[in-house]
Amino acid sequence: SKARETPDVAGKRLQAQLDAMCPSLQPAPHPRGYPVNRDEMDELCEDDDERSRLQQAIDSSAQGDCPLCQRVTLKPESTGLAAQWKVDLARLEWTLAHVTPACLHCCTASNTDALLNAALSVSDSAGEAALQGVSVHVLAANGHAQDKGELVQAALNVGHSIKILAGNLPCRVVNVKDKTFLAPGEVPALCIAMLASARAGGGKQT
């Protein structure tokens, strides 16, 4: 029964639910205090030199259509950065799984907190339209009909459940390559390296 589930088993069950609902674009949780978007990365850069190298890496990688939704052509003024984190509840480890330039709707939709904030900001017609835009985007990117709006809320609930589960455990953030501790201030340099390896490898990040 679910009452006897270990956190690892519960996490895998929840992730499988999220993967089934949103195979291409899903609201994923991230470790507290770590960046998920371009503004947060900028703030963590150690100096202007690193900030400009990050900017250059994003601009060089922002070619063609948004890789998350395949629906929007990326333009410099409307391109964000989506950092996608994964948590392994058996190892109690967070890793930065993927980082990519993305359209602004995908940047919101690919993070639990950002999507939740968009849902909570619906106090006027502008907020309503913004959330509607993101919801339409999530459904289309995952191949769902536009009348399945409740599916976006369901996916958000599952993503939030994974976040709560991980937040109650002593998970550490590690570099996926060598499993050493990864500090928030080290993430921009890691992102620059991941973007460079994706360009060199035709989209694959190593």
Side-chain angles (χ1 to χ4, degrees):
S1 75
K2 287 183 186 173
R4 293 197 196 91
E5 269 185 336
T6 62
D8 175 34
V9 172
K12 283 185 175 146
R13 175 176 55 78
L14 290 165
Q15 187 60 53
Q17 285 177 12
L18 197 53
D19 290 344
M21 285 188 278
C22 298
S24 299
L25 176 64
Q26 55 184 234
H30 69 284
R32 187 194 299 268
Y34 283 76
V36 290
N37 61 39
R38 190 172 187 159
D39 289 345
E40 291 171 2
M41 291 283 179
D42 274 351
E43 282 177 29
L44 284 169
C45 286
E46 62 179 348
D47 53 29
D48 287 343
D49 178 51
E50 186 169 65
R51 207 164 285 116
S52 74
R53 280 188 291 119
L54 177 63
Q55 173 78 44
Q56 207 172 357
I58 295 169
D59 290 347
S60 302
S61 301
Q63 308 286 337
D65 291 340
C66 170
L68 296 183
C69 67
Q70 317 284 333
R71 297 180 74 233
V72 177
T73 301
L74 293 178
K75 297 186 176 74
E77 68 279 5
S78 58
T79 296
L81 188 69
Q84 296 163 302
W85 295 85
K86 290 283 182 212
V87 63
D88 183 331
L89 294 175
R91 294 173 177 271
L92 298 179
E93 288 175 351
W94 284 99
T95 51
L96 182 57
H98 199 70
V99 59
T100 182
C103 71
L104 299 180
H105 275 338
C106 277
C107 288
T108 299
S110 63
N111 179 252
T112 308
D113 287 3
L115 187 54
L116 186 60
N117 286 340
L120 295 175
S121 300
V122 181
S123 56
D124 56 18
S125 57
E128 184 79 50
L131 180 63
Q132 183 62 23
V134 174
S135 294
V136 164
H137 212 72
V138 173
L139 293 170
N142 289 300
H144 297 299
Q146 289 304 319
D147 60 358
K148 293 271 192 280
E150 72 284 352
L151 195 137
V152 179
Q153 183 61 52
L156 180 55
N157 291 344
V158 174
H160 194 63
S161 296
I162 297 171
K163 177 190 168 181
I164 301 286
L165 194 60
N168 288 329
L169 294 165
C171 295
R172 58 189 217 113
V173 183
V174 297
N175 188 321
V176 71
K177 278 192 172 173
D178 56 14
K179 297 294 186 179
T180 54
F181 173 72
L182 182 71
E186 295 171 326
V187 177
L190 178 60
C191 281
I192 293 167
M194 288 173 77
L195 289 167
S197 83
R199 286 198 306 279
K204 293 280 179 220
Q205 294 189 357
T206 53

